[in-house]
Amino acid sequence: MIKIKENLFFMLYACCIPVKGAKRSIICDLQRDTFTYVTNEIFDMLNRPISLDKIKDSAEKNDVTAILNYLKEQGIGFYTSNPENFPKIDFASNDFPEIVKNAIIDFDKNSDHNLLSIVEQLSELRCSAVELRFFDEISQDNFTEYLSCFAKSTVRALKVVLKYSEWTTIENMDEILFDNKRLRKIVIHHSSNTLSQKPNTQSRIHYVTDQIKDAYHCGNISPYYFISNISFFKEALTSNTCLDKKVCVDSKGYIKNCPAMDTSYGHINTTKLKDCLNNEQFKKMWHIQKDDIEICKDCEFRYICTDCRAFITNDNLFSKPKKCNYDPYENTWN
Amino acid sequence: MKTYSELIKDTDRTYYSLNFLLAEFEFTENLEKKIEVMNNSIHCDYFETRDFKPEPYYKAISSCIKKFE
């Protein structure tokens, strides 16, 4: 908040949060899912009250005014004489009812785990989002049967990663999306071409040439995965942006924090998902924040970027994700 | 004892809220009375719209694609 003149202050909107990096800062707009680059000097300026009347140098005064006006034009901030009427967002409150927020269930041609049983267990844990990943081809009938397992579930968003086959045409996918409102995103790998379709306002279909053969293809860090919304930002401040309240079943049926990790906490045929949640070691991964991770803690994108603990740069559990090639000290993607 | 959500067709369940579906696990002693109360409750259009639809999730659950075109 910056005092402009007597009884007039410049404020950022509550949903626009500045984040300082090693060399530059960003202002995350948590309502519009965007961010704006600013210099660290502007970040520092926004974090302390300044009275324009006290700036003797007229050139500096002009600069500050120009910056504030620019931020106002961008819809990031505003002038007010009543700053006390605009409190900050309370990121401390916990408004997630889910015991498990999301889950990944992997399948390959040798998998024999019972999806319906897993979905019933996830419903008891109030899980609201699931990703199904199929590394090998499956028939359309089997796929439809898998989707029907969610009919009585608490899952409100479903994402599917499928291997390209004859029936995975755009027309079929459109029909499947129409019949399954929970299904928000379909990614079809091993495709010969790349194609992105948005059949309605809520759903996406992506055909990609990537050859996703197993869980080890996960963990990519790129601007594509940046998310600037309140839920994600809040999660990043207190817990791990990938693994928080996540349970996974790998293609062999083992329960893990992430299918790409080695440590398992039992087999789905013999262990209940809720029993894993009593294991403190299982929940340890949930609490690794970006602020705890080497290099990430200096990155301006740390609260809008996904994390990966399966692939890290060295043996230290708190080291930078291996598949991230951003250098926050030089602001370059290598 | 029955739950109200048992009356909802499987094909229609996607239109109901998380809280509503959780009622699956809470049995009621007098289902008729519950239905009567629900039918006579005052509707709020805003919350009905927001609460009863499947939601886009707020983040990517995994990141196995390197680059989207």
Side-chain angles (χ1 to χ4, degrees), chain A residues 140 246 260 334:
Chain A
Q140 187 171 359
K246 171 177 264 165
N334 300 312

Side-chain angles (χ1 to χ4, degrees), chain A residues 103-120:
Chain A
I104 298 176
I105 306 164
D106 282 352
F107 294 88
D108 63 19
K109 59 189 175 190
N110 299 317
S111 300
D112 65 349
H113 33 281
N114 181 341
L115 181 60
L116 184 59
S117 162
I118 297 172
V119 173
E120 283 173 354

Side-chain angles (χ1 to χ4, degrees), chain A residues 54-307:
Chain A
K54 288 182 183 171
I55 301 175
K56 297 272 176 17
D57 185 344
S58 61
E60 188 186 346
K61 189 182 268 188
N62 287 343
D63 286 349
V64 171
T65 309
I67 290 164
L68 298 184
N69 286 339
Y70 171 77
L71 294 177
K72 184 172 178 285
E73 282 167 22
Q74 295 296 308
I76 291 170
F78 62 103
Y79 294 103
T80 177
S81 52
N82 302 102
E84 68 279 5
N85 290 349
F86 302 95
K88 291 184 175 177
I89 293 174
D90 177 14
F91 287 110
S93 67
N94 183 7
D95 56 3
F96 286 107
E98 301 99 325
I99 299 168
V100 163
K101 283 185 188 172
N102 60 71
I104 298 176
I105 306 164
D106 282 352
F107 294 88
D108 63 19
K109 59 189 175 190
N110 299 317
S111 300
D112 65 349
H113 33 281
N114 181 341
L115 181 60
L116 184 59
S117 162
I118 297 172
V119 173
E120 283 173 354
Q121 292 184 54
L122 288 173
S123 286
E124 286 183 42
L125 299 169
R126 304 174 201 160
C127 178
S128 62
V130 170
E131 180 167 314
L132 301 178
R133 302 192 302 194
F134 299 92
F135 302 124
D136 295 312
E137 282 186 41
I138 59 163
S139 69
Q140 187 171 359
D141 288 344
N142 280 347
F143 182 58
T144 310
E145 197 179 318
Y146 281 131
L147 293 182
S148 69
C149 294
F150 291 89
K152 291 186 177 180
S153 74
T154 57
V155 174
R156 299 178 78 178
L158 182 60
K159 180 184 164 188
V160 170
V161 178
L162 271 177
K163 186 176 180 183
Y164 183 86
S165 57
E166 280 185 8
W167 65 270
T168 56
T169 60
I170 196 81
E171 293 79 16
N172 273 347
M173 291 299 126
D174 271 351
E175 265 184 47
I176 288 169
L177 281 172
F178 185 80
D179 293 338
N180 297 274
K181 303 297 183 200
R182 286 183 175 85
L183 197 48
R184 318 307 302 210
K185 194 180 216 179
I186 301 175
V187 173
I188 297 173
H189 59 96
H190 275 83
S191 171
S192 53
N193 298 308
T194 56
L195 175 71
S196 287
Q197 285 261 330
K198 193 178 172 187
N200 57 56
T201 54
Q202 305 290 341
S203 309
R204 303 277 189 286
I205 305 172
H206 295 288
Y207 288 83
V208 294
T209 53
D210 299 43
Q211 301 194 353
I212 303 172
K213 294 172 183 167
D214 49 41
Y216 299 105
H217 285 75
C218 196
N220 295 301
I221 307 287
S222 86
Y224 174 79
Y225 291 107
F226 285 173
I227 303 144
S228 180
N229 63 39
I230 291 175
S231 303
F232 191 86
F233 197 91
K234 184 173 165 179
E235 187 174 271
L237 287 173
T238 56
S239 38
N240 190 269
T241 50
C242 181
L243 301 177
D244 183 45
K245 295 190 177 183
K246 171 177 264 165
V247 291
C248 300
V249 179
D250 76 1
S251 57
K252 291 187 173 66
Y254 289 103
I255 304 167
K256 298 177 175 181
N257 287 115
C258 163
M261 286 177 163
D262 294 332
T263 311
S264 84
Y265 295 86
H267 195 276
I268 193 65
N269 291 344
T270 52
T271 310
K272 293 283 181 194
L273 291 177
K274 66 179 177 187
D275 293 338
C276 292
L277 303 184
N278 297 326
N279 187 328
E280 283 307 314
Q281 200 60 29
F282 184 82
K283 290 199 281 192
K284 183 182 165 191
M285 291 287 181
W286 294 5
H287 308 300
I288 299 175
Q289 305 164 26
K290 281 284 189 185
D291 285 329
D292 299 331
I293 299 169
E294 290 174 0
I295 301 177
C296 289
K297 64 187 175 188
D298 295 327
C299 179
E300 63 273 26
F301 302 122
R302 62 189 177 278
Y303 300 135
I304 59 171
C305 179
T306 189
D307 187 41

